[in-house]
Amino acid sequence: MVEKLTTSERAGLAAALPEWKMVEGRDAITRAFRFKDFSEAWGFMARVALLAEAQDHHPEWFNVWNRVEITLSTHDAAGLSARDVRLAQAIDKIA
């Protein structure tokens, strides 16, 4: 079973993922991205999809033209887990 982040792990989230924010009312993190155009946004989403599939961890996301919003939470843990942190860090590297 996947475990939720501990209190000390959560305390380090702001430093480890400075662009990600907590989702109000949920145990999840989110980040918004802006790109030059739809094609660039779609390419980013395709790269994230490959990362997510390789990690067997799939984001919630929303896309309109050049904007992509990603929300991460682990359903098996009923909240944030190390899986979310790893995927967020990998997403940050390709953004």
Side-chain angles (χ1 to χ4, degrees), residues 66-85:
N66 70 337
R67 294 179 294 135
V68 176
E69 296 171 18
I70 299 177
T71 300
L72 299 175
S73 185
T74 302
H75 299 290
D76 291 344
L80 286 172
S81 75
R83 285 179 155 192
D84 302 304
V85 175

Side-chain angles (χ1 to χ4, degrees), residues 14-33:
L17 301 169
E19 301 295 323
W20 293 80
K21 308 294 179 221
M22 293 299 298
V23 176
E24 189 173 329
R26 284 186 65 190
D27 193 19
I29 55 175
T30 190
R31 181 173 174 193
F33 301 86

